[in-house]
mmCIF file of all heavy atoms in Angstrom:
data_model
loop_
_atom_site.group_PDB
_atom_site.id
_atom_site.type_symbol
_atom_site.label_atom_id
_atom_site.label_comp_id
_atom_site.label_asym_id
_atom_site.label_seq_id
_atom_site.Cartn_x
_atom_site.Cartn_y
_atom_site.Cartn_z
ATOM 1 N N ASP B 39 221.260 106.532 137.299
ATOM 2 C CA ASP B 39 222.113 105.357 137.142
ATOM 3 C C ASP B 39 222.517 105.280 135.689
ATOM 4 O O ASP B 39 221.707 105.521 134.800
ATOM 5 C CB ASP B 39 221.373 104.087 137.558
ATOM 6 C CG ASP B 39 222.305 102.898 137.746
ATOM 7 O OD1 ASP B 39 223.531 103.082 137.629
ATOM 8 O OD2 ASP B 39 221.803 101.803 138.013
ATOM 9 N N CYS B 40 223.773 104.981 135.456
ATOM 10 C CA CYS B 40 224.290 104.961 134.092
ATOM 11 C C CYS B 40 224.878 103.611 133.741
ATOM 12 O O CYS B 40 225.518 102.969 134.563
ATOM 13 C CB CYS B 40 225.378 106.011 133.916
ATOM 14 S SG CYS B 40 224.772 107.685 134.050
ATOM 15 N N GLU B 41 224.630 103.227 132.530
ATOM 16 C CA GLU B 41 225.321 102.140 131.877
ATOM 17 C C GLU B 41 225.288 100.809 132.593
ATOM 18 O O GLU B 41 226.303 100.285 133.024
ATOM 19 C CB GLU B 41 226.746 102.572 131.557
ATOM 20 C CG GLU B 41 226.755 103.771 130.643
ATOM 21 C CD GLU B 41 228.120 104.047 130.050
ATOM 22 O OE1 GLU B 41 229.029 103.235 130.192
ATOM 23 O OE2 GLU B 41 228.244 105.098 129.430
ATOM 24 N N GLY B 42 224.105 100.276 132.672
ATOM 25 C CA GLY B 42 223.936 98.908 133.135
ATOM 26 C C GLY B 42 223.017 98.190 132.169
ATOM 27 O O GLY B 42 222.149 98.804 131.565
ATOM 28 N N PRO B 43 223.168 96.897 131.999
ATOM 29 C CA PRO B 43 222.289 96.153 131.103
ATOM 30 C C PRO B 43 220.957 95.805 131.787
ATOM 31 O O PRO B 43 220.893 95.670 132.996
ATOM 32 C CB PRO B 43 223.081 94.880 130.798
ATOM 33 C CG PRO B 43 223.925 94.681 132.011
ATOM 34 C CD PRO B 43 224.264 96.061 132.513
ATOM 35 N N VAL B 44 219.907 95.667 130.989
ATOM 36 C CA VAL B 44 218.613 95.201 131.499
ATOM 37 C C VAL B 44 218.769 93.730 131.860
ATOM 38 O O VAL B 44 219.198 92.923 131.046
ATOM 39 C CB VAL B 44 217.501 95.381 130.448
ATOM 40 C CG1 VAL B 44 216.208 94.726 130.916
ATOM 41 C CG2 VAL B 44 217.271 96.849 130.146
ATOM 42 N N GLN B 45 218.450 93.387 133.098
ATOM 43 C CA GLN B 45 218.565 92.007 133.558
ATOM 44 C C GLN B 45 217.213 91.316 133.631
ATOM 45 O O GLN B 45 217.121 90.105 133.447
ATOM 46 C CB GLN B 45 219.232 91.982 134.934
ATOM 47 C CG GLN B 45 220.648 92.518 134.898
ATOM 48 C CD GLN B 45 221.223 92.676 136.279
ATOM 49 O OE1 GLN B 45 220.582 93.232 137.163
ATOM 50 N NE2 GLN B 45 222.428 92.188 136.457
ATOM 51 N N LYS B 46 216.159 92.080 133.931
ATOM 52 C CA LYS B 46 214.829 91.512 134.111
ATOM 53 C C LYS B 46 213.824 92.648 134.004
ATOM 54 O O LYS B 46 214.145 93.786 134.327
ATOM 55 C CB LYS B 46 214.755 90.886 135.507
ATOM 56 C CG LYS B 46 213.544 90.038 135.771
ATOM 57 C CD LYS B 46 213.505 89.593 137.229
ATOM 58 C CE LYS B 46 214.490 88.469 137.483
ATOM 59 N NZ LYS B 46 214.313 87.876 138.820
ATOM 60 N N TRP B 47 212.604 92.340 133.556
ATOM 61 C CA TRP B 47 211.560 93.354 133.500
ATOM 62 C C TRP B 47 210.196 92.700 133.663
ATOM 63 O O TRP B 47 210.033 91.506 133.429
ATOM 64 C CB TRP B 47 211.624 94.155 132.198
ATOM 65 C CG TRP B 47 211.254 93.361 130.982
ATOM 66 C CD1 TRP B 47 210.025 93.312 130.365
ATOM 67 C CD2 TRP B 47 212.087 92.480 130.254
ATOM 68 N NE1 TRP B 47 210.055 92.454 129.305
ATOM 69 C CE2 TRP B 47 211.330 91.916 129.207
ATOM 70 C CE3 TRP B 47 213.413 92.084 130.369
ATOM 71 C CZ2 TRP B 47 211.829 91.003 128.311
ATOM 72 C CZ3 TRP B 47 213.920 91.166 129.461
ATOM 73 C CH2 TRP B 47 213.137 90.646 128.456
ATOM 74 N N SER B 48 209.247 93.506 134.110
ATOM 75 C CA SER B 48 207.856 93.089 134.262
ATOM 76 C C SER B 48 207.003 94.300 133.886
ATOM 77 O O SER B 48 207.540 95.377 133.628
ATOM 78 C CB SER B 48 207.588 92.660 135.707
ATOM 79 O OG SER B 48 207.522 93.792 136.546
ATOM 80 N N PRO B 49 205.695 94.167 133.896
ATOM 81 C CA PRO B 49 204.852 95.335 133.616
ATOM 82 C C PRO B 49 205.028 96.462 134.633
ATOM 83 O O PRO B 49 204.703 97.608 134.357
ATOM 84 C CB PRO B 49 203.431 94.778 133.673
ATOM 85 C CG PRO B 49 203.576 93.339 133.346
ATOM 86 C CD PRO B 49 204.901 92.929 133.951
ATOM 87 N N VAL B 50 205.576 96.153 135.799
ATOM 88 C CA VAL B 50 205.694 97.128 136.879
ATOM 89 C C VAL B 50 207.114 97.656 137.069
ATOM 90 O O VAL B 50 207.315 98.830 137.347
ATOM 91 C CB VAL B 50 205.199 96.505 138.206
ATOM 92 C CG1 VAL B 50 205.387 97.458 139.366
ATOM 93 C CG2 VAL B 50 203.746 96.096 138.074
ATOM 94 N N SER B 51 208.126 96.808 136.906
ATOM 95 C CA SER B 51 209.492 97.215 137.226
ATOM 96 C C SER B 51 210.500 96.674 136.215
ATOM 97 O O SER B 51 210.204 95.790 135.426
ATOM 98 C CB SER B 51 209.866 96.742 138.626
ATOM 99 O OG SER B 51 209.893 95.326 138.666
ATOM 100 N N VAL B 52 211.707 97.256 136.304
ATOM 101 C CA VAL B 52 212.827 96.839 135.462
ATOM 102 C C VAL B 52 214.045 96.709 136.366
ATOM 103 O O VAL B 52 214.302 97.569 137.207
ATOM 104 C CB VAL B 52 213.112 97.879 134.354
ATOM 105 C CG1 VAL B 52 214.324 97.480 133.528
ATOM 106 C CG2 VAL B 52 211.898 98.059 133.459
ATOM 107 N N LYS B 53 214.798 95.614 136.172
ATOM 108 C CA LYS B 53 216.035 95.414 136.928
ATOM 109 C C LYS B 53 217.212 95.754 136.016
ATOM 110 O O LYS B 53 217.380 95.167 134.948
ATOM 111 C CB LYS B 53 216.142 93.966 137.399
ATOM 112 C CG LYS B 53 217.364 93.696 138.238
ATOM 113 C CD LYS B 53 217.396 92.245 138.699
ATOM 114 C CE LYS B 53 218.620 91.968 139.541
ATOM 115 N NZ LYS B 53 218.705 90.550 139.917
ATOM 116 N N VAL B 54 218.008 96.726 136.456
ATOM 117 C CA VAL B 54 219.197 97.160 135.727
ATOM 118 C C VAL B 54 220.349 97.207 136.718
ATOM 119 O O VAL B 54 220.230 97.842 137.775
ATOM 120 C CB VAL B 54 219.008 98.558 135.090
ATOM 121 C CG1 VAL B 54 220.282 99.042 134.427
ATOM 122 C CG2 VAL B 54 217.866 98.545 134.087
ATOM 123 N N ALA B 55 221.434 96.534 136.379
ATOM 124 C CA ALA B 55 222.635 96.550 137.227
ATOM 125 C C ALA B 55 222.298 96.214 138.686
ATOM 126 O O ALA B 55 222.686 96.923 139.604
ATOM 127 C CB ALA B 55 223.360 97.885 137.113
ATOM 128 N N ASP B 56 221.532 95.140 138.891
ATOM 129 C CA ASP B 56 221.189 94.609 140.209
ATOM 130 C C ASP B 56 220.299 95.510 141.057
ATOM 131 O O ASP B 56 220.221 95.343 142.266
ATOM 132 C CB ASP B 56 222.453 94.247 140.996
ATOM 133 C CG ASP B 56 223.203 93.099 140.351
ATOM 134 O OD1 ASP B 56 222.557 92.203 139.771
ATOM 135 O OD2 ASP B 56 224.444 93.097 140.410
ATOM 136 N N ALA B 57 219.620 96.488 140.449
ATOM 137 C CA ALA B 57 218.680 97.343 141.177
ATOM 138 C C ALA B 57 217.354 97.370 140.416
ATOM 139 O O ALA B 57 217.334 97.300 139.192
ATOM 140 C CB ALA B 57 219.226 98.754 141.321
ATOM 141 N N TYR B 58 216.259 97.454 141.155
ATOM 142 C CA TYR B 58 214.922 97.504 140.550
ATOM 143 C C TYR B 58 214.424 98.945 140.499
ATOM 144 O O TYR B 58 214.614 99.713 141.439
ATOM 145 C CB TYR B 58 213.932 96.662 141.360
ATOM 146 C CG TYR B 58 214.114 95.188 141.153
ATOM 147 C CD1 TYR B 58 214.950 94.447 141.980
ATOM 148 C CD2 TYR B 58 213.444 94.532 140.130
ATOM 149 C CE1 TYR B 58 215.119 93.085 141.788
ATOM 150 C CE2 TYR B 58 213.606 93.162 139.931
ATOM 151 C CZ TYR B 58 214.438 92.453 140.765
ATOM 152 O OH TYR B 58 214.599 91.104 140.565
ATOM 153 N N TYR B 59 213.766 99.282 139.386
ATOM 154 C CA TYR B 59 213.201 100.609 139.175
ATOM 155 C C TYR B 59 211.767 100.461 138.686
ATOM 156 O O TYR B 59 211.489 99.614 137.838
ATOM 157 C CB TYR B 59 214.017 101.393 138.136
ATOM 158 C CG TYR B 59 215.459 101.556 138.534
ATOM 159 C CD1 TYR B 59 216.420 100.642 138.115
ATOM 160 C CD2 TYR B 59 215.859 102.613 139.345
ATOM 161 C CE1 TYR B 59 217.744 100.782 138.488
ATOM 162 C CE2 TYR B 59 217.183 102.760 139.723
ATOM 163 C CZ TYR B 59 218.120 101.840 139.288
ATOM 164 O OH TYR B 59 219.426 101.975 139.662
ATOM 165 N N MET B 60 210.873 101.303 139.187
ATOM 166 C CA MET B 60 209.468 101.286 138.784
ATOM 167 C C MET B 60 209.347 101.911 137.392
ATOM 168 O O MET B 60 209.862 103.010 137.160
ATOM 169 C CB MET B 60 208.614 102.058 139.780
ATOM 170 C CG MET B 60 208.705 101.542 141.208
ATOM 171 S SD MET B 60 208.196 99.834 141.389
ATOM 172 C CE MET B 60 206.463 99.989 141.120
ATOM 173 N N ARG B 61 208.663 101.222 136.495
ATOM 174 C CA ARG B 61 208.517 101.723 135.122
ATOM 175 C C ARG B 61 207.754 103.041 135.070
ATOM 176 O O ARG B 61 208.025 103.877 134.203
ATOM 177 C CB ARG B 61 207.828 100.684 134.244
ATOM 178 C CG ARG B 61 208.764 99.559 133.869
ATOM 179 C CD ARG B 61 208.093 98.437 133.136
ATOM 180 N NE ARG B 61 207.769 98.760 131.761
ATOM 181 C CZ ARG B 61 207.483 97.855 130.836
ATOM 182 N NH1 ARG B 61 207.484 96.564 131.148
ATOM 183 N NH2 ARG B 61 207.178 98.225 129.623
ATOM 184 N N SER B 62 206.841 103.259 135.997
ATOM 185 C CA SER B 62 206.043 104.487 135.993
ATOM 186 C C SER B 62 206.803 105.700 136.528
ATOM 187 O O SER B 62 206.374 106.829 136.313
ATOM 188 C CB SER B 62 204.774 104.283 136.811
ATOM 189 O OG SER B 62 205.107 104.015 138.164
ATOM 190 N N GLU B 63 207.918 105.474 137.211
ATOM 191 C CA GLU B 63 208.641 106.572 137.845
ATOM 192 C C GLU B 63 209.988 106.896 137.203
ATOM 193 O O GLU B 63 210.622 107.879 137.568
ATOM 194 C CB GLU B 63 208.843 106.262 139.327
ATOM 195 C CG GLU B 63 207.530 106.173 140.079
ATOM 196 C CD GLU B 63 207.708 105.913 141.553
ATOM 197 O OE1 GLU B 63 208.825 106.115 142.078
ATOM 198 O OE2 GLU B 63 206.724 105.511 142.184
ATOM 199 N N PHE B 64 210.404 106.062 136.245
ATOM 200 C CA PHE B 64 211.703 106.254 135.618
ATOM 201 C C PHE B 64 211.598 106.115 134.109
ATOM 202 O O PHE B 64 210.700 105.440 133.604
ATOM 203 C CB PHE B 64 212.711 105.245 136.158
ATOM 204 C CG PHE B 64 212.969 105.378 137.626
ATOM 205 C CD1 PHE B 64 212.234 104.662 138.538
ATOM 206 C CD2 PHE B 64 213.927 106.268 138.089
ATOM 207 C CE1 PHE B 64 212.450 104.803 139.898
ATOM 208 C CE2 PHE B 64 214.146 106.423 139.450
ATOM 209 C CZ PHE B 64 213.410 105.676 140.365
ATOM 210 N N GLU B 65 212.526 106.745 133.403
ATOM 211 C CA GLU B 65 212.649 106.573 131.955
ATOM 212 C C GLU B 65 213.918 105.779 131.701
ATOM 213 O O GLU B 65 214.953 106.054 132.317
ATOM 214 C CB GLU B 65 212.731 107.932 131.279
ATOM 215 C CG GLU B 65 212.880 107.866 129.777
ATOM 216 C CD GLU B 65 212.872 109.240 129.161
ATOM 217 O OE1 GLU B 65 211.781 109.773 128.888
ATOM 218 O OE2 GLU B 65 213.982 109.787 128.957
ATOM 219 N N PHE B 66 213.838 104.824 130.815
ATOM 220 C CA PHE B 66 214.959 103.935 130.522
ATOM 221 C C PHE B 66 215.447 104.244 129.116
ATOM 222 O O PHE B 66 214.677 104.162 128.163
ATOM 223 C CB PHE B 66 214.518 102.485 130.648
ATOM 224 C CG PHE B 66 213.956 102.182 132.012
ATOM 225 C CD1 PHE B 66 212.609 102.356 132.274
ATOM 226 C CD2 PHE B 66 214.795 101.777 133.044
ATOM 227 C CE1 PHE B 66 212.084 102.110 133.531
ATOM 228 C CE2 PHE B 66 214.277 101.530 134.311
ATOM 229 C CZ PHE B 66 212.928 101.698 134.555
ATOM 230 N N ARG B 67 216.723 104.599 129.007
ATOM 231 C CA ARG B 67 217.296 104.990 127.727
ATOM 232 C C ARG B 67 218.396 104.017 127.321
ATOM 233 O O ARG B 67 219.422 103.927 128.002
ATOM 234 C CB ARG B 67 217.883 106.398 127.819
ATOM 235 C CG ARG B 67 216.858 107.469 128.134
ATOM 236 C CD ARG B 67 217.521 108.803 128.273
ATOM 237 N NE ARG B 67 216.532 109.854 128.456
ATOM 238 C CZ ARG B 67 216.845 111.139 128.569
ATOM 239 N NH1 ARG B 67 218.112 111.515 128.525
ATOM 240 N NH2 ARG B 67 215.901 112.041 128.705
#
Side-chain angles (χ1 to χ4, degrees):
D39 194 4
C40 294
E41 300 193 9
V44 172
Q45 297 172 312
K46 191 186 284 189
W47 69 97
S48 74
V50 176
S51 65
V52 177
K53 183 179 180 184
V54 176
D56 294 326
Y58 285 91
Y59 301 93
M60 302 300 290
R61 284 174 74 163
S62 63
E63 296 182 17
F64 298 91
E65 179 177 275
F66 303 89
R67 298 177 175 182

